[in-house]
Amino acid sequence: MDLSTTFEDFASTVTTDKRSQALDAGNIKLTYRTLMEKAEAREKERIKDEQRKQKKVEDAFRRMLKPHGADWTQETKWESVRGQFERESAFNAVPIEADRVRIFSELVSQLEEACLHSSSSAFKKSKKTKKHSRRSRSRSDSESGGDTSRRRESRKRSRSASPDSKSQDKKRNYRRRSGSRSASDDSDRDSRSKKKRSRSRSTTRDQDDKNKKHKKKSKKSKKSSKQQSPVDDRKRKGKEKDKV
């Protein structure tokens, strides 16, 4: 049974057999479907095997043509190069002439595309190398120019820094001298203030001593005046009597 067998042919064949008298129409139809599925699977597997074999044959034919395709273009015809391969086994393995022409034209187009791609990639690489060389040159020139400019700037800085450093040293020395002077002035001021304080303290002490002495003298004078007062009264009274 194959895929070309119809259900009617299958049913008529089955019903003519005495062993299938007990089968009804449903069982016959189910059996037909099962057998058809198996036939389809076998056919698919057969097609795959044929495709694999055909691919191997075409690959061998393509490998036979490829070494000679360096000079071929789209204008090259199969009839002009066919005689070079008639004695080859790969040529005879492809029995159909249309398949030979198809493989030849596909190979020519592939070779041309590869050639164009390689030339474009080589052109791009050459551009990249040129750009890279230009960039490297510009970088080297810029670096050299930068080095020279840096050297010039460093020289200028060193030259300009020399008077600046001298002025800074003078300022530092002046600050140090002024600081030492201010410190000496502060110490002189402190000593003067201390002397003034000691003098003021001594004067206050002397004044206090004078005041104390004065107080003592005043007290003594008062006492003496008190003691002399009765004698003076008596003298006065005596004088008054004499006058009378």
Side-chain angles (χ1 to χ4, degrees):
M1 182 177 176
D2 55 9
L3 294 175
S4 62
T5 305
T6 61
F7 176 72
E8 289 78 10
D9 295 337
F10 178 75
S12 63
T13 303
V14 171
T15 53
T16 55
D17 193 351
K18 294 179 180 179
R19 293 174 295 181
S20 62
Q21 291 179 358
L23 297 174
D24 55 1
N27 289 328
I28 293 170
K29 194 170 185 178
L30 181 62
T31 304
Y32 173 77
R33 288 179 180 176
T34 303
L35 293 173
M36 285 298 292
E37 288 176 357
K38 290 180 179 180
E40 288 176 356
R42 287 195 300 271
E43 184 66 19
K44 288 179 180 179
E45 189 66 26
R46 185 186 66 79
I47 291 168
K48 287 181 180 179
D49 291 337
E50 287 182 357
Q51 288 177 352
R52 292 191 195 98
K53 290 178 183 179
Q54 185 67 21
K55 189 175 183 301
K56 288 181 181 180
V57 170
E58 289 180 359
D59 289 339
F61 188 82
R62 193 175 287 106
R63 286 194 298 271
M64 178 189 68
L65 297 175
K66 194 171 182 179
H68 304 276
D71 298 329
W72 295 345
T73 61
Q74 291 290 340
E75 296 178 356
T76 305
K77 294 181 180 181
W78 167 244
E79 290 79 7
S80 62
V81 297
R82 185 177 183 278
Q84 299 176 8
F85 311 104
E86 288 180 352
R87 295 180 181 179
E88 299 290 337
S89 60
F91 177 86
N92 296 321
V94 180
I96 301 171
E97 187 68 17
D99 291 336
R100 295 170 184 167
V101 175
R102 177 179 59 80
I103 295 166
F104 173 76
S105 61
E106 288 177 356
L107 180 63
V108 170
S109 62
Q110 288 176 1
L111 291 173
E112 283 190 350
E113 287 178 0
C115 182
L116 292 172
H117 181 70
S118 63
S119 62
S120 63
S121 63
F123 182 70
K124 289 179 180 179
K125 286 181 180 179
S126 64
K127 280 187 175 181
K128 287 181 180 180
T129 53
K130 287 179 181 178
K131 287 181 180 179
H132 183 69
S133 62
R134 288 177 183 175
R135 288 178 182 175
S136 62
R137 288 176 183 175
S138 62
R139 287 178 182 174
S140 62
D141 294 335
S142 62
E143 287 177 357
S144 62
D147 293 333
T148 53
S149 62
R150 287 174 185 172
R151 290 175 183 175
R152 289 175 183 175
E153 288 178 357
S154 64
R155 288 176 183 174
K156 289 180 180 179
R157 287 177 182 175
S158 62
R159 290 175 182 175
S160 61
S162 59
D164 293 335
S165 62
K166 289 180 181 179
S167 61
Q168 288 178 0
D169 293 333
K170 288 180 179 179
K171 288 179 180 180
R172 288 175 184 173
N173 293 325
Y174 178 74
R175 287 176 183 174
R176 288 176 183 175
R177 290 175 184 175
S178 62
S180 62
R181 287 176 184 175
S182 61
S184 63
D185 293 336
D186 292 334
S187 62
D188 293 335
R189 288 174 185 175
D190 293 333
S191 63
R192 288 174 185 175
S193 62
K194 287 179 181 180
K195 287 179 181 179
K196 286 180 180 180
R197 287 175 185 174
S198 63
R199 287 176 184 176
S200 62
R201 287 176 184 175
S202 62
T203 52
T204 51
R205 286 177 184 175
D206 294 335
Q207 189 68 33
D208 292 334
D209 294 334
K210 287 179 181 180
N211 291 328
K212 286 179 181 181
K213 289 178 180 180
H214 183 70
K215 285 179 182 181
K216 287 179 180 180
K217 287 180 180 180
S218 62
K219 285 180 181 180
K220 287 179 181 181
S221 62
K222 285 179 182 181
K223 286 180 182 182
S224 63
S225 62
K226 284 180 182 181
Q227 290 176 359
Q228 293 175 1
S229 61
V231 176
D232 293 333
D233 290 335
R234 288 175 184 177
K235 287 180 178 180
R236 286 173 185 176
K237 287 178 179 181
K239 287 180 180 181
E240 287 177 354
K241 286 177 180 184
D242 292 334
K243 286 179 180 182
V244 173

